[in-house]
Amino acid sequence: MAIRSLKTNVFSRKALVGNTTFNPGDYESIETFTVGGGGSASITFSSIPADWQHLQLRILARNNHSSAGLSFMRAKFNSDATSANYRGHYLYGSGSSASAGAVAGAASGLPCGYSAGNTNTIGAFAPTVLDILDYASGDQNKTTRALTGGDFNTTSGGLTFVSGLYMITSAITSIDIVPSVGTGFVEYSSFALYGIKG
């Protein structure tokens, strides 16, 4: 919430006298995909410029697998299909139980959020917000974090925090997203990529 200074009559996000002003970075839309009627095996963002500090993906996903529940999507960077370069961990809560664990890397990439199965409630898509930190850096491994989940009036609903590690120092210039089950995403799944200023 912005606060107006009585002294200068200027709005800022300064909460206490003497603190420096905090202005969160700007989000800029880079590209958006919405899956059409024929479905899509994968979603690709390519030629990503190095103009921002971080990237954020906002996703609503449903896969074409004939099962209910949630399953991980995977993100592959720079077309790198080396499974050893990807690692992931998760914290999961269903409202009645909790669990945590590791997710092995795969040629299709690191775990980046959930997609809903195609026999879940009609029209139900799993939401994900995925941050890719310091993606343009050329001297450090890349880390990701995602908040994802879904509630489809079944026993499989829940909320998960997912962290990921891409053990390559090269800047990320492309992202491919695939479901870990089924052969693709169904119509109206949407994927929006944003750049975040530092």
Side-chain angles (χ1 to χ4, degrees), residues 101-137:
V103 183
S108 53
L110 56 77
C112 66
Y114 284 140
S115 62
N118 208 26
T119 56
N120 277 304
T121 304
I122 293 175
F125 292 75
T128 294
V129 177
L130 169 69
D131 293 313
I132 304 170
L133 307 178
D134 297 311
Y135 77 102
S137 169

Side-chain angles (χ1 to χ4, degrees), residues 7-27:
K7 181 177 179 181
T8 64
N9 199 35
V10 173
F11 278 105
S12 76
R13 297 186 183 275
K14 190 178 294 184
L16 299 172
V17 173
N19 287 353
T20 58
T21 300
F22 169 72
N23 290 309
D26 296 328
Y27 289 73

